[in-house]
Amino acid sequence: MTDTEPLILLIEDEPPVHKFLGASLPAHGFRLLGAETGKDGLARAADYNPDVVLLDLGLPDLDGLEVTRRLREWSNVPIIVLSARGQEKDKIAALDAGADDYLTKPFSTGELLARIRVAIRHTARLADNSPQPTFIVGDLRVDLAGRHVFVGDTEVHLTPIEYKLLTVLVRYAGKVLTHQALLKEVWGPHHTQDTHYLRVHMAQLRRKIEPDPAQPRYLLTETGIGYRFADQ
């Protein structure tokens, strides 16, 4: 393991989780830095500039939502919440506070590793200052410069709202976006409760770009929370 490996900061007060991730993450090419309190985690985030933060919500000093809000005051580091709180309202609160993703305990190593890789790829795209006029995943190609969308070699014609919805999801590929966040981005701040708009247009968009709209490949539903664009 060298200092070129991605650094993961784990803010978690349960020793078994530290032990488990302390063995599994380095085995898959990541360095792990631990903190057992929110204050210690914030300090280590400032000192070490991690590539990803794994954050428990139930910390002994600060609530994880407060840690998220404080981190977001000065850092765009991807935050993946790991929590035993599995209710939709807890997930939405964490995402609205600035978290990028949410895993409910217990979770599999494979799923966590996949979410970490997505977070790192998203950060790399944001850090790349070169123009990225075309987004490609699978058979889907979104030409952002020309405002064209293709499935394979066939151009798909989208309405202005469908295109705007797709480009917002593409811009945050891999990140969970809540219903409210999408409604605000696409329809404006006065429509954050109009979830029926979102459901209707998402269904229309899936019919146009998904190989099987009933089993989406690109536009994934986070039940009760929002949507995620699969970036691989």
Side-chain angles (χ1 to χ4, degrees):
M1 192 68 62
T2 70
D3 60 6
T4 61
E5 311 289 356
L7 177 63
I8 311 300
L9 171 60
L10 173 63
I11 308 176
E12 164 70 70
D13 66 333
E14 296 182 17
V17 179
H18 279 271
K19 183 177 180 180
F20 169 64
L21 295 182
S24 58
L25 291 184
H28 289 86
F30 299 101
R31 291 176 294 148
L32 184 65
L33 176 68
E36 296 184 356
T37 68
K39 290 181 180 179
D40 189 24
L42 289 167
R44 293 198 169 200
D47 290 341
Y48 292 92
N49 190 28
D51 295 285
V52 176
V53 171
L54 304 179
L55 174 64
D56 182 30
L57 293 183
L59 298 169
D61 57 342
L62 298 174
D63 186 83
L65 296 179
E66 179 62 20
V67 175
T68 300
R69 284 189 284 265
R70 292 193 189 184
L71 272 174
R72 281 291 170 258
E73 289 176 358
W74 55 271
S75 175
N76 289 320
V77 62
I79 301 171
I80 301 175
V81 168
L82 311 177
S83 180
R85 304 179 193 174
Q87 295 187 14
E88 291 173 3
K89 63 181 180 63
D90 296 314
K91 296 180 181 182
I92 292 170
L95 294 166
D96 284 344
D100 295 81
D101 209 342
Y102 195 114
L103 280 176
T104 302
K105 297 176 182 177
F107 50 83
S108 71
T109 303
E111 184 174 14
L112 176 60
L113 290 170
R115 301 293 179 91
I116 290 173
R117 288 191 291 266
V118 166
I120 290 174
R121 283 198 301 272
H122 183 62
T123 300
R125 282 198 299 270
L126 293 178
D128 186 355
N129 292 323
S130 62
Q132 298 291 332
T134 305
F135 181 90
I136 301 174
V137 58
D139 289 332
L140 179 66
R141 177 161 52 97
V142 183
D143 177 358
L144 297 168
R147 298 179 64 86
H148 298 293
V149 177
F150 297 86
V151 175
D153 295 325
T154 303
E155 184 169 2
V156 178
H157 297 283
L158 303 181
T159 68
I161 286 291
E162 290 166 356
Y163 180 79
K164 188 172 183 180
L165 179 58
L166 179 61
T167 57
V168 170
L169 288 160
V170 162
R171 192 164 75 245
Y172 294 100
K175 176 181 169 66
V176 179
L177 295 176
T178 64
H179 296 128
Q180 288 74 20
L182 279 168
L183 285 162
K184 184 176 180 180
E185 285 266 2
V186 178
W187 282 274
H190 300 298
H191 294 277
T192 55
Q193 302 304 313
D194 296 330
T195 54
H196 61 285
Y197 287 176
L198 189 54
R199 286 195 300 271
V200 168
H201 285 85
M202 186 63 72
Q204 293 172 345
L205 187 54
R206 279 176 169 158
R207 282 195 289 271
K208 292 183 178 182
I209 70 170
E210 293 283 3
D212 180 1
Q215 298 183 12
R217 159 73 174 82
Y218 308 114
L219 306 175
L220 307 182
T221 297
E222 297 287 335
T223 304
I225 299 167
Y227 299 93
R228 177 206 308 267
F229 190 96
D231 74 338
Q232 64 174 349

